[in-house]
Structures are given as C-alpha cells and as structure tokens.
Amino acid sequence: AQTVTQSQPEMSVQEAETVTLSCTYDTSENNYYLFWYKQPPSRQMILVIRQEAYKQQNATENRFSVNFQKAAKSFSLKISDSQLGDTAMYFCAFMKQGAGGTSYGKLTFGQGTILTVHP
Amino acid sequence: DAGVTQSPTHLIKTRGQQVTLRCSPKSGHDTVSWYQQALGQGPQFIFQYYEEEERQRGNFPDRFSGHQFPNYSSELNVNALLLGDSALYLCASSLFRDRVRTQPQHFGDGTRLSIL
C-alpha cells in the first residue's frame, strides 16, 4: 500500500513571496504519478500540477513548480509570487500506474497543508 | 460545459439511517470515483465505477455501495450510518480511455453529510 505524508499542517507566506510545501511518499512501485491539488473553502478539489515518475524533469505550471526526488521519495511544491487567491488547503496525491490502467483513478492523498497568504 | 455536479449539497441523518448521494460526471466523462474526506483530512478513495461496474475499491466496509447508470451518473449508498461517517463526500470523473495519458480527474463540490 502507498502512503503520502505532508509534515506541515499549516504554512503562511506574505503576498508576492515564495513558499515551499513538503510531501514524502512511500511505495514499492516504479511507475506512478504524483499530483498537487488545491482545495479552497469552496471545497472543490483543483489540480495544480502533476508529475510522471519516469520523467526526470521537474514539472512547472506558471508560478507553480515541483522538486521531484524519486530516490528520496520526495515531491515538494514551490509557489512563487504568492497571491491571495492561493490561500487554500493543498494536498499531495499519489497514483500508481497499473497494467491496462487497472489502477487508474485511485488517488492516495496526504493529510494536507493549510496555506495562508497574507497581504 | 457542465462540470461534475453532486447532490445534495448538505445532508443531515441520524445513526442507523441510510443515505444516497448522487453525482453527474463532467460532460463526456464515463468513469466516476468516490472519496470520503473527514474534516481536516485528505480524501480517502471509496470506489470507482466504469461501464456500470465497480472497478476498484478502497478499504471501506460493505455498508458503502454504489451504482452507475447508463448515462454515467452514479450513486453512493451508505447503510446503517455511524457517527464516523460524517464527512465531505467527493465525486470525481474522468474519461477511461485517457487513463494512459493520466488526464486529471475533475472533482465536484461534494456533499457534506452530518450524522447526529
């Protein structure tokens, strides 16, 4: 079974600054995907960024980037130029790649990190 | 283009009752997954439906059951409700043929279930 651990229950950052959220995971799988999801108070889970484990290059999406360390099983999220709208709960999630897509869709989430961006 | 819709938004039940939650996937999607999210926690996978069959299941008791209809919409049923079933129930949809490209799942706003 896979586990995902987010060791920072809460983080805060000033507007326009940079913040990094940590995530570690444990798996015996070699092929898998990692995600960061954002859940604002509106409750809807929104995909922020994703990383395929077979890719060495770290994923980036505008102000969001990851530091993927496969050997260390670490997957941190860096948010640059933080904005007030980034205030939300952030979840790290894991999905293994099964044969024929049999495990597709089963996300394993961490406990979440509450991020507050202050003006 | 309608996204994932869930109903009802909120629900209050008492212990021992039964509840049915509903989910309509994003237009064009054919796969539905259900998650339970306790307050302050990450979501936990309950099960996934594709082609009207349960394809995967998480570590949840048989009190949790589901159904998928020909129009791809889905229901989550929980019998003999316990206080611990109080949570936000999230539905996520995707297109099965996109699984190899790992297209992101689309989540609904959830149903907040409170057990008294």
Side-chain angles (χ1 to χ4, degrees), chain B residues 48-107:
Chain B
Q48 180 188 73
Y49 277 84
Y50 170 65
E51 290 186 327
E52 302 179 47
E53 290 187 14
E54 183 183 292
R55 298 289 174 162
Q56 299 184 73
R57 190 179 181 90
N59 189 26
F60 278 81
D62 293 343
R63 296 187 299 109
F64 289 78
S65 63
H67 189 76
Q68 185 179 34
F69 300 93
N71 67 353
Y72 309 120
S73 67
S74 176
E75 289 182 348
L76 164 64
N77 301 293
V78 187
N79 295 323
L81 287 166
L82 304 174
L83 292 177
D85 295 332
S86 293
L88 177 68
Y89 288 85
L90 294 168
C91 170
S93 75
S94 55
L95 185 59
F96 190 74
R97 73 180 187 202
D98 281 344
R99 63 195 183 280
V100 295
R101 289 181 287 167
T102 320
Q103 293 303 299
Q105 296 180 62
H106 292 251
F107 282 82

Side-chain angles (χ1 to χ4, degrees), chain A residues 24-75:
Chain A
T24 59
Y25 59 95
D26 188 24
T27 184
S28 58
E29 303 289 333
N30 192 49
N31 299 316
Y32 52 87
Y33 307 94
L34 295 163
F35 306 86
W36 278 97
Y37 278 89
K38 165 186 176 181
Q39 188 178 41
S42 64
R43 308 188 315 200
Q44 187 178 44
M45 198 73 74
I46 302 166
L47 178 68
V48 174
I49 197 166
R50 66 182 176 188
Q51 174 82 42
E52 291 88 343
Y54 66 85
K55 289 186 178 179
Q56 292 186 335
Q57 187 173 7
N58 290 323
T60 61
E61 285 288 341
N62 301 313
R63 298 183 295 107
F64 300 89
S65 62
V66 299
N67 183 3
F68 174 49
Q69 302 289 328
K70 190 173 184 179
K73 295 181 182 175
S74 170
F75 183 61

Side-chain angles (χ1 to χ4, degrees), chain A residues 41-119:
Chain A
S42 64
R43 308 188 315 200
Q44 187 178 44
M45 198 73 74
I46 302 166
L47 178 68
V48 174
I49 197 166
R50 66 182 176 188
Q51 174 82 42
E52 291 88 343
Y54 66 85
K55 289 186 178 179
Q56 292 186 335
Q57 187 173 7
N58 290 323
T60 61
E61 285 288 341
N62 301 313
R63 298 183 295 107
F64 300 89
S65 62
V66 299
N67 183 3
F68 174 49
Q69 302 289 328
K70 190 173 184 179
K73 295 181 182 175
S74 170
F75 183 61
S76 61
L77 174 69
K78 184 171 82 172
I79 305 174
S80 304
D81 186 25
S82 296
Q83 300 176 359
L84 296 178
D86 295 334
T87 293
M89 184 88 146
Y90 285 80
F91 292 98
C92 178
F94 172 102
M95 185 175 76
K96 73 177 182 179
Q97 181 182 8
T102 55
S103 65
Y104 176 62
K106 181 178 179 179
L107 289 162
T108 300
F109 287 88
Q111 307 94 311
T113 297
I114 300 172
L115 175 66
T116 303
V117 180
H118 298 284

